[in-house]
Amino acid sequence: MIWIDYLRRLYSLDTLDTRFTTSSRTPPKQVAAGADAPIDPARPSQPSWRRKAGSPNGRPISGSGEGVPASRWKTPEFFVYYLVFLLVVPMMFKVTYIVSKESHPNYPKYSHLLSPGWIPGRRVDNSDSQYSNFRDNIPYILILLAVHPLLRRLYNTFSPLRPEAIEPSFSSTNPQASRETLWPAASAKARLQQRVSYDLIFAFVLLCGLHGFSALKILVILYINYFLATRLPRKHIPLSTWVFNIGILFANELCKGYQFSSFAQLILPWSPASVSGTNKEGVSSNWGSWLDSYGGLVPRWEISFNITVLRLISFNLDYYWSLGSVGSSPIEKKQLDPSNLSERDRVSTPAKPQDYSLANYLAYALYSPLYLAGPILTFNDYIAQLKYPPPSITTSRTVLYGIRFLITLLCMEFVLHFIYAVAISKSHPAWEIYTPFQLSMLGYFNLHIIWLKLLLPWRFFRLWALLDGIDPPENMVRCMSDNYSSLAFWRGWHRSFNRWIVRYIYIPLGGSGGPSAHGFRGKARAMINFLAVFTFVALWHDINLKLLMWGWLISLFVLPEVLATFIFPERKWRNSPNSYRLICGIGAVGNILMMMAANLVGFAVGLDGLQGLVRGIVGSYTGLVFLTLACAALFVGVQIMFEVRQQELRQGIRLKC
């Protein structure tokens, strides 16, 4: 049926991000060349270049569909799993809904955290301050979503592309030959200048609206970082970049955004403010306090500045690596078409020396659609996409992506209206009044709400960028409940950040040691670097002990998976695939429990809250019985996850998460 095919396309990986169904080494025009190939509704843009020549069903090459076991979806084993899903999933929602009703004895303790809702008879749990900032401003950001692209079109109308002004050396004797050789490059330069000029104007206006006079602080930090990259000797750029930007993370936190009032007292210690202390008269007469009073819509600019720090590091290191490219351009060496670079080439190929200008740097660091929350785009990729529009952006795909965002937003609204897991955890309840099943579901839905509250802003800002002609990476690959591997989970969670970490931290640290480090040595090297990475990730999120413990717990909980893959290598179980699947399923259940515990500590209830949850679940005989049944249900879910990935391999997709 047509509507089923439409739903399958709506929820296909290709609609989410073409990077999931296309090799990062493949030029986009080669992908577009396969547009006339037979279409699988689940993967509507699978091109002909990924199909085997002469294969009767056009079976894809990429992902090595060969050797993948036959589908298990219609086997008796999986019909039992479907029955478990039909019984367990509704119970999960029901038990959490029951503890969220007004009749529950704990309701009065958290009712003050609830707000009026738009669903009749229900209040909404808008107690998460991070998400409430996004939710309360949805009407305004939707207006911004519409106005920004319209203003760009208007700007382009009054400031059209003029390639002939960029490249005045068009030959008058042979204009046709000159146009064929020089026009594409001149058009790319003109488009870069046109887009950067608009991006700068809009970014400065948005920056002033968001942060008021604090925009000056941001510009000062950006200029200092640019100065370090472009004025210091090349060998000092990496160290100075990391020291400065990590120092900024700490300074922003410790100095609370560098209040102007503090500067005023430092510069003029004899002012009325410093003489009279903290009385109202002194504060009002301090010129710094007057500047602080105009802090814009988001006065605490330092909170959202963490994402900008990643862009500053990206620019500096991309520029640093470009200085090492001596001789001809990598594009010329590889004889690449600059308008048809693969994603990997867009990221790794340095921009031209003149592209590392202050204007391009500011436009990149303050690019409006991605400024507040990302996703993260490298500087090289940003410049490449400004010059040549990415073919991956199409009207139909963008519309479908927008529909998915609206469906996700509606899903979040229903969850917040019927499940008050966040408010309950914030009220520090007496955990003993809940049954083990209720306790586990409160923790589970807390994590799901965390996933949704991050997913929605990331997808909104990516949608904005897509409408503006920029294609950043999708941050969330899979649903939170569709993960069983700690390592794979972090490849798919905040994916653009993960890719940034791999490029700028993990690989420069040595990764897993390269081809020369095999076996245990390579695993140990990888674990040390993994610990360093998650220490940075924790400090980048927020400088507090809770998140630092979270980062170390993640590193600790990855260790069993690394050891298990070393002790039980897949190649030794090729003759016993079902036994290996059973062993992996048991290990995956343990992984899931550890991942839930670590993320509850870092982002939900903290260590004390986790201890209360654990005591409530395993502190009695009935709790232990429930834990056994819960592990069995998780095992069923893991088998479904295994088969989902096997199905992707049959379609030629290897996501590594």
Side-chain angles (χ1 to χ4, degrees):
M1 297 177 66
I2 296 178
W3 66 272
I4 293 180
D5 290 343
Y6 179 81
L7 285 176
R8 294 174 69 183
R9 182 172 183 182
L10 177 65
Y11 284 97
S12 70
L13 288 169
D14 184 79
T15 295
L16 199 58
D17 192 341
T18 56
R19 294 171 177 85
F20 299 154
T21 56
T22 304
S23 170
S24 62
R25 301 175 183 271
T26 305
K29 291 181 182 178
Q30 191 173 348
V31 179
D36 296 329
I39 291 177
D40 177 356
R43 292 184 63 235
S45 70
Q46 180 179 322
S48 58
W49 60 267
R50 293 182 72 175
R51 303 171 187 273
K52 288 186 178 180
S55 177
N57 295 318
R59 192 174 181 180
I61 300 174
S62 178
S64 68
E66 294 180 346
V68 179
S71 173
R72 296 187 178 91
W73 293 119
K74 297 182 180 180
T75 61
E77 174 191 357
F78 272 68
F79 279 108
V80 174
Y81 297 161
Y82 304 151
L83 180 61
V84 173
F85 265 74
L86 289 174
L87 293 174
V88 173
V89 174
M91 290 173 59
M92 294 167 62
F93 282 91
K94 180 181 178 181
V95 72
T96 320
Y97 169 69
I98 289 175
V99 300
S100 302
K101 295 177 70 174
E102 294 183 13
S103 57
H104 194 273
N106 195 46
Y107 183 83
K109 293 184 179 180
Y110 65 84
S111 59
H112 64 283
L113 298 174
L114 305 179
S115 306
W118 56 268
I119 296 179
R122 297 297 301 177
R123 302 179 74 185
V124 61
D125 183 358
N126 199 30
S127 59
D128 186 287
S129 58
Q130 185 180 20
Y131 182 71
S132 65
N133 288 333
F134 174 78
R135 183 178 184 271
D136 296 342
N137 289 291
I138 285 177
Y140 307 107
I141 60 178
L142 288 177
I143 294 174
L144 202 60
L145 179 73
V147 169
H148 178 261
L150 292 176
L151 288 179
R152 184 184 291 280
R153 291 191 177 186
L154 185 64
Y155 179 85
N156 292 347
T157 300
F158 289 99
S159 180
L161 292 175
R162 299 186 185 277
E164 64 278 2
I166 301 294
E167 188 61 65
S169 58
F170 288 116
S171 172
S172 57
T173 57
N174 190 358
Q176 182 62 33
S178 180
R179 179 172 293 270
E180 289 177 356
T181 56
L182 299 178
W183 187 265
S187 297
K189 291 180 183 178
R191 187 173 187 272
L192 174 65
Q193 289 187 5
Q194 183 191 58
R195 287 191 61 96
V196 165
S197 59
Y198 174 80
D199 286 344
L200 281 174
I201 295 171
F202 196 92
F204 288 145
V205 173
L206 182 65
L207 201 65
C208 293
L210 288 175
H211 307 308
F213 284 110
S214 291
L216 296 173
K217 307 170 190 174
I218 295 174
L219 293 176
V220 168
I221 294 174
L222 264 58
Y223 181 76
I224 295 173
N225 182 76
Y226 181 78
F227 179 88
L228 294 175
T230 57
R231 296 291 188 271
L232 292 180
R234 181 178 182 269
K235 63 180 181 179
H236 297 314
I237 293 176
L239 179 61
S240 62
T241 293
W242 284 109
V243 170
F244 173 73
N245 283 281
I246 292 178
I248 284 294
L249 290 177
F250 279 89
N252 287 353
E253 178 74 17
L254 298 175
C255 299
K256 299 180 179 179
Y258 320 107
Q259 298 294 311
F260 283 112
S261 58
S262 300
F263 281 114
Q265 294 181 23
L266 181 65
I267 296 172
L268 300 174
W270 56 86
S271 66
S274 59
V275 173
S276 58
T278 58
N279 62 63
K280 294 182 180 179
E281 180 183 358
V283 172
S284 63
S285 59
N286 185 327
W287 58 269
S289 298
W290 179 81
L291 293 177
D292 288 332
S293 66
Y294 293 92
L297 298 173
V298 185
R300 295 195 62 190
W301 62 272
E302 69 274 12
I303 295 177
S304 60
F305 191 76
N306 286 14
I307 199 80
T308 305
V309 164
L310 302 182
R311 289 189 284 267
L312 304 190
I313 295 172
S314 173
F315 172 84
N316 284 21
L317 295 185
D318 281 359
Y319 177 70
Y320 165 75
W321 288 322
S322 74
L323 297 177
S325 302
V326 294
S328 60
S329 165
I331 292 179
E332 296 174 357
K333 288 181 180 179
K334 299 179 182 179
Q335 296 183 337
L336 300 174
D337 178 3
S339 66
N340 190 33
L341 295 177
S342 67
E343 190 209 7
R344 177 166 295 192
D345 287 332
R346 287 203 315 263
V347 171
S348 61
T349 303
K352 294 183 177 180
Q354 62 268 26
D355 292 335
Y356 294 94
S357 65
L358 179 61
N360 292 350
Y361 163 72
L362 292 175
Y364 164 69
L366 302 175
Y367 179 57
S368 299
L370 307 181
Y371 169 70
L372 285 174
I376 304 159
L377 200 66
T378 68
F379 179 79
N380 289 342
D381 198 359
Y382 173 76
I383 293 297
Q385 293 195 42
L386 289 192
K387 289 182 176 180
Y388 303 99
S392 56
I393 299 179
T394 64
T395 301
S396 61
R397 187 178 286 116
T398 304
V399 169
L400 289 173
Y401 190 84
I403 293 173
R404 285 189 66 162
F405 166 75
L406 292 175
I407 293 174
T408 307
L409 179 63
L410 189 62
C411 174
M412 180 63 152
E413 285 296 300
F414 273 93
V415 169
L416 294 181
H417 276 80
F418 289 94
I419 295 177
Y420 301 149
V422 177
I424 292 173
S425 64
K426 284 181 175 293
S427 66
H428 303 290
W431 297 110
E432 59 270 13
I433 68 174
Y434 297 101
T435 67
F437 191 15
Q438 292 171 343
L439 286 171
S440 62
M441 289 303 99
L442 285 173
Y444 172 80
F445 278 103
N446 242 310
L447 293 176
H448 247 294
I449 291 171
I450 291 171
W451 176 72
L452 283 169
K453 80 170 185 179
L454 296 174
L455 175 72
L456 283 166
W458 284 337
R459 285 201 174 165
F460 170 81
F461 291 118
R462 182 169 184 262
L463 175 62
W464 183 0
L466 291 173
L467 291 172
D468 192 45
I470 296 294
D471 186 6
E474 170 66 23
N475 263 342
M476 294 291 199
V477 181
R478 301 188 188 276
C479 173
M480 187 208 78
S481 294
D482 187 15
N483 288 278
Y484 60 85
S485 164
S486 300
L487 290 169
F489 174 76
W490 293 113
R491 293 191 194 107
W493 176 284
H494 205 169
R495 184 170 174 266
S496 67
F497 188 27
N498 175 269
R499 289 155 58 96
W500 184 95
I501 288 171
V502 170
R503 175 170 171 78
Y504 298 110
I505 300 181
Y506 189 70
I507 291 179
L509 284 177
S512 58
S516 60
H518 295 289
F520 183 78
R521 180 185 173 188
K523 299 292 185 182
R525 176 70 176 268
M527 282 304 305
I528 293 172
N529 291 338
F530 204 77
L531 179 62
V533 163
F534 268 94
T535 299
F536 170 80
V537 170
L539 294 175
W540 176 82
H541 275 91
D542 197 1
I543 300 173
N544 64 53
L545 182 60
K546 186 174 75 170
L547 280 175
L548 197 58
M549 290 175 60
W550 163 80
W552 292 340
L553 279 175
I554 291 297
S555 302
L556 176 64
F557 290 164
V558 164
L559 185 59
E561 181 178 347
V562 172
L563 292 177
T565 56
F566 184 74
I567 297 171
F568 300 100
E570 184 179 3
R571 65 181 183 276
K572 292 185 178 180
W573 295 81
R574 288 176 181 170
N575 296 328
S576 305
N578 288 328
S579 299
Y580 188 69
R581 183 162 60 95
L582 176 65
I583 294 172
C584 290
I586 295 172
V589 170
N591 257 353
I592 292 172
L593 294 176
M594 288 188 291
M595 284 193 293
M596 291 180 66
N599 286 300
L600 282 171
V601 169
F603 297 100
V605 298
L607 186 59
D608 293 337
L610 178 65
Q611 290 174 345
L613 286 171
V614 172
R615 280 196 301 267
I617 293 174
V618 302
S620 64
Y621 174 76
T622 55
L624 292 174
V625 171
F626 163 76
L627 182 61
T628 303
L629 295 175
C631 289
L634 286 174
F635 180 84
V636 170
V638 165
Q639 296 304 315
I640 298 292
M641 297 179 209
F642 287 166
E643 190 60 24
V644 167
R645 286 151 180 79
Q646 294 292 329
Q647 183 64 32
E648 290 170 354
L649 288 176
R650 297 182 195 107
Q651 295 174 338
I653 303 173
R654 185 185 293 275
L655 292 180
K656 298 181 181 179
C657 66

